[in-house]
């Protein structure tokens, strides 16, 4: 099956620093990638939709200057959490969208645990 | 409003028992419905996917059903194992815009 990787799998940083998370589709091309965050015991919350070669579309309430998304190629999207603060601590998950025949589907990465001290 | 509701919120069963998780949706237009399993601290992993014309799909001990008329789906787990302890998420894809609507999930705990 399709594989999506994320790097790093976990990161601990000091308040005020920036953290970059990579999301790669390893064996297929993804014109669209999604970024989610998930708090403990809650479901995934869509942050933004990233389209290759264009600006990301952010969900209501998500600061685009805080969460910078770059989708430079069909296999790579990055999320940069700028000037991270403790409230940004969360589990960040990406997914890559593709079409298998007529069926649209998304494959999730393993997630990145961000802890801001 | 596009919504996906899952029940129960949480469930505890003994190892070896069967269980059924429910998913009701009001998404339109409808493209497909997926069930995912998410272990704690991991990304979701797809279990089954069903399009409008499919009413059942199996993946090992997991069997999903879909009733497109009543907009209901269920995930049946047979002979549960300790490793089945996880959150199960129902996700409906809205065709055309490829918008994915997530259910809030069911947390399953299997006890020895």
């Amino acid at each position: 099956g399709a594989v999506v990787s994320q790097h790093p799998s976990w990161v601990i940083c000091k308040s005020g620093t920036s953290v970059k998370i990579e999301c790669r589709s390893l064996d297929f091309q993804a014109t669209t990638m999604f970024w989610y965050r998930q708090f403990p015991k809650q479901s995934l919350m869509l942050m933004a939709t990233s389209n290759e070669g264009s600006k990301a579309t952010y969900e209501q309430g998500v600061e685009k200057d805080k969460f910078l998304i770059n989708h430079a190629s069909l296999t790579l999207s990055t999320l940069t959490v700028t000037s991270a603060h403790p409230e940004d601590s969360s589990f960040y998950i990406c997914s890559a969208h593709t079409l298998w025949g007529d069926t649209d589907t998304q494959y999730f990465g393993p997630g990145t645990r961000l802890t801001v001290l | 409003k596009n919504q996906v509701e899952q029940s129960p919120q949480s469930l505890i069963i003994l190892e070896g028992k069967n269980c059924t998780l429910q998913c009701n949706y009001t998404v339109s237009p409808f493209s497909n419905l997926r069930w995912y399993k998410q272990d704690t601290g991991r990304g979701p992993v797809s279990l089954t996917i069903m399009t409008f014309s499919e009413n059942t799909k199996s993946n090992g001990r997991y069997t999903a059903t879909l009733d497109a008329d009543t907009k209901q789906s269920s995930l049946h787990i047979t002979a549960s194992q300790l490793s089945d302890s996880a959150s199960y998420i129902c996700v409906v894809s809205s065709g055309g815009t490829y918008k994915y609507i997530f259910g809030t999930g069911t947390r399953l705990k299997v006890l020895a």
Side-chain angles (χ1 to χ4, degrees):
Chain A
V3 178
V4 176
S5 70
Q6 276 185 244
H7 178 80
S9 56
W10 59 270
V11 57
I12 301 173
C13 68
K14 291 183 179 180
S15 186
T17 60
S18 293
V19 175
K20 179 186 282 189
I21 303 170
E22 291 187 351
C23 176
R24 293 181 186 272
S25 55
L26 298 184
D27 50 1
F28 66 99
Q29 294 183 333
T31 54
T32 302
M33 288 185 173
F34 301 94
W35 286 96
Y36 300 85
R37 65 189 296 181
Q38 186 178 33
F39 294 105
K41 297 186 178 181
Q42 294 187 24
S43 190
L44 284 72
M45 184 177 69
L46 180 65
M47 298 175 65
T49 302
S50 167
N51 294 299
E52 187 265 339
S54 63
K55 290 183 179 181
T57 303
Y58 290 82
E59 296 298 302
Q60 193 171 9
V62 178
E63 300 174 56
K64 61 180 181 181
D65 295 329
K66 172 78 172 174
F67 300 99
L68 300 179
I69 291 173
N70 183 278
H71 195 155
S73 76
L74 289 172
T75 60
L76 173 64
S77 176
T78 61
L79 168 69
T80 301
V81 183
T82 61
S83 186
H85 291 285
E87 58 265 29
D88 298 323
S89 298
S90 187
F91 192 53
Y92 292 87
I93 305 174
C94 73
S95 73
H97 168 264
T98 188
L99 275 173
W100 294 114
D102 294 330
T103 303
D104 66 278
T105 191
Q106 58 175 334
Y107 294 94
F108 289 90
T112 297
R113 171 76 58 193
L114 170 63
T115 302
V116 184
L117 303 176
Chain B
K1 181 182 178 183
N2 288 332
Q3 269 188 315
V4 177
E5 295 183 348
Q6 290 187 243
S7 62
Q9 281 190 333
S10 61
L11 183 61
I12 301 174
I13 61 173
L14 294 177
E15 187 179 15
K17 297 296 184 182
N18 303 335
C19 67
T20 300
L21 314 180
Q22 300 289 344
C23 173
N24 296 336
Y25 63 93
T26 57
V27 177
S28 182
F30 173 89
S31 176
N32 58 66
L33 183 149
R34 265 190 191 269
W35 282 94
Y36 288 90
K37 177 187 179 188
Q38 185 181 21
D39 292 311
T40 301
R42 313 283 266 190
V45 174
S46 177
L47 295 175
T48 63
I49 179 171
M50 288 178 292
T51 58
F52 185 86
S53 59
E54 298 174 296
N55 54 27
T56 188
K57 186 71 71 78
S58 290
N59 178 2
R61 294 180 297 102
Y62 301 102
T63 299
T65 65
L66 174 65
D67 185 333
D69 292 330
T70 62
K71 298 188 177 181
Q72 296 179 326
S73 176
S74 66
L75 179 69
H76 186 75
I77 304 175
T78 305
S80 61
Q81 301 176 357
L82 297 179
S83 59
D84 291 331
S85 296
S87 287
Y88 292 83
I89 305 170
C90 173
V91 182
V92 179
S93 172
S94 180
T97 59
Y98 300 129
K99 196 76 171 177
Y100 297 96
I101 296 93
F102 284 71
T104 52
T106 292
R107 288 201 306 278
L108 174 65
K109 180 74 174 175
V110 181
L111 301 177

